[in-house]
């Protein structure tokens, strides 16, 4: 018995069966695109340098070439920029970074943000060298203050790293108050790359910067806002709910995308 084509019932529609047979290569390409995670453009120069170094090392001695290839793959992995699905409900505070919630404490905000010298709830997220380092806005609003402060390169997990390390601080004005976000360099991190400037209006989940090779991001919440995450929890930039200004989010939730 001959198998009837499912497209015959729609004579004017494109013949999907023939398309699938004629374009197997395109189907394969589409499948690969869905699996491969995009790489942020900030990583292109490092990848190019690693590739050149790998070729040179391989010509000197083949085992060196394999080492260079592994390092090149790791650099590609480090600068990955995955698609994230950000919850857009008003009042939510979303994680600005991938990593582990290393500390939740009451602390004074950085003085360069010109915020009131009163303790705020600080949620610290530590990013190791295997985490995605593209940072995303935790709330929608206008960047009313942005300040870069040079400093040391201590272990980003240390509490004093918030005061002593090189950092880039942003104050984002929202309808519920000002939220502080601080990118902190670490032992290996030597470069904080901002994508925004003071006065910009940014939406929740939009990319605002990147820290190269291990670091930390602190989020300062207004007084009275209760965190919905716990220390030791893994957070995902643009997806994990850190807090809720409206107080209607009963438990911490993680929204996973691609």
């Amino acid at each position: 018995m001959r198998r009837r084509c499912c497209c015959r019932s729609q004579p004017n529609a494109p013949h999907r069966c023939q398309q699938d047979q004629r374009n197997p290569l395109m189907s394969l390409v589409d499948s690969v695109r869905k699996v491969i995670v995009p790489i942020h453009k900030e990583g292109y120069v490092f990848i190019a340098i690693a590739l050149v170094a790998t070729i040179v090392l391989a010509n000197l001695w083949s085992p060196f070439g394999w080492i260079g290839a592994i390092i090149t793959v790791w650099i590609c992995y480090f600068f990955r920029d995955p698609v994230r699905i950000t919850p857009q409900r008003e009042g939510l505070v979303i994680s600005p970074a991938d990593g582990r919630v290393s500390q939740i404490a009451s602390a004074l905000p950085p003085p360069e943000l010109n915020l009131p010298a009163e303790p705020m709830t600080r949620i610290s997220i530590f990013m190791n060298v295997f985490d995605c380092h593209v940072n995303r806005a935790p709330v929608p609003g206008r960047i009313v203050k942005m300040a870069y402060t040079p400093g040391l390169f201590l272990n980003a997990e240390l509490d004093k790293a918030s005061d002593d390390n090189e950092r880039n601080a942003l104050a984002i004005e929202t309808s519920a108050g000002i939220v502080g976000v601080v990118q902190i360099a670490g032992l290996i991190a030597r470069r904080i790359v901002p994508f925004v400037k003071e006065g910009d209006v940014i939406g929740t989940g939009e990319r605002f910067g990147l820290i190269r090779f291990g670091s930390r991001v602190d989020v300062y919440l207004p007084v009275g806002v209760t965190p919905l995450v716990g220390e030791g929890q893994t957070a995902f930039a643009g997806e994990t709910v850190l807090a809720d200004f409206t107080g209607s989010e009963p438990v911490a939730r993680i929204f996973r995308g691609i």
Side-chain angles (χ1 to χ4, degrees), residues 85-95 137-141 174-176 203-205 225-226 228 238-253 255:
I85 300 175
T86 303
Q88 296 295 328
R89 181 167 66 74
E90 185 177 357
L92 293 181
V93 181
I94 309 300
S95 176
V139 291
T174 73
S175 58
T204 308
V225 179
T226 303
L228 296 175
E239 293 184 347
T240 302
V241 177
L242 297 183
D244 184 3
F245 286 139
T246 66
S248 61
E249 194 73 24
V251 293
R253 299 169 60 192
F255 296 80

Side-chain angles (χ1 to χ4, degrees), residues 107-118 120 144-145 169-173 177-182 220-222:
L108 293 174
E112 62 266 25
L113 288 182
N114 297 330
L115 295 176
E118 300 175 351
M120 301 177 71
V144 294
K145 183 68 176 179
L170 295 82
I172 304 176
E173 185 179 45
I178 294 180
V179 173
V181 186
V182 185
Y220 289 85
L221 302 175

Side-chain angles (χ1 to χ4, degrees), residues 98-121:
D98 282 24
R100 177 173 53 84
V101 178
S102 59
Q103 187 183 61
I104 299 176
S106 179
L108 293 174
E112 62 266 25
L113 288 182
N114 297 330
L115 295 176
E118 300 175 351
M120 301 177 71
T121 300

Side-chain angles (χ1 to χ4, degrees), residues 217-233:
V217 177
D218 288 346
V219 179
Y220 289 85
L221 302 175
V223 177
V225 179
T226 303
L228 296 175
V229 291
E231 293 184 2
Q233 179 176 337

Side-chain angles (χ1 to χ4, degrees), residues 51-98:
L51 285 172
V52 172
T54 298
I55 294 172
V56 173
L57 291 172
N59 288 328
L60 295 175
W61 190 38
S62 57
F64 285 163
W66 284 110
I67 294 174
I70 293 172
I71 293 174
T72 302
V73 171
W74 176 78
I75 292 176
C76 292
Y77 180 73
F78 178 86
F79 283 103
R80 67 194 185 279
D81 186 14
V83 174
R84 296 289 166 84
I85 300 175
T86 303
Q88 296 295 328
R89 181 167 66 74
E90 185 177 357
L92 293 181
V93 181
I94 309 300
S95 176
D98 282 24

Side-chain angles (χ1 to χ4, degrees), residues 173-243:
E173 185 179 45
T174 73
S175 58
I178 294 180
V179 173
V181 186
V182 185
Q183 299 169 289
I184 302 172
L187 274 174
I188 304 175
R190 288 296 185 273
R191 179 82 167 126
I192 299 174
V193 184
F195 304 154
V196 295
K197 62 183 183 300
E198 192 171 302
D200 285 352
V201 175
I202 195 167
T204 308
E206 289 186 17
R207 300 163 180 82
F208 72 86
L210 178 149
I211 314 177
R212 294 177 186 162
F213 309 118
S215 43
R216 173 177 140 193
V217 177
D218 288 346
V219 179
Y220 289 85
L221 302 175
V223 177
V225 179
T226 303
L228 296 175
V229 291
E231 293 184 2
Q233 179 176 337
T234 299
F236 296 94
E239 293 184 347
T240 302
V241 177
L242 297 183

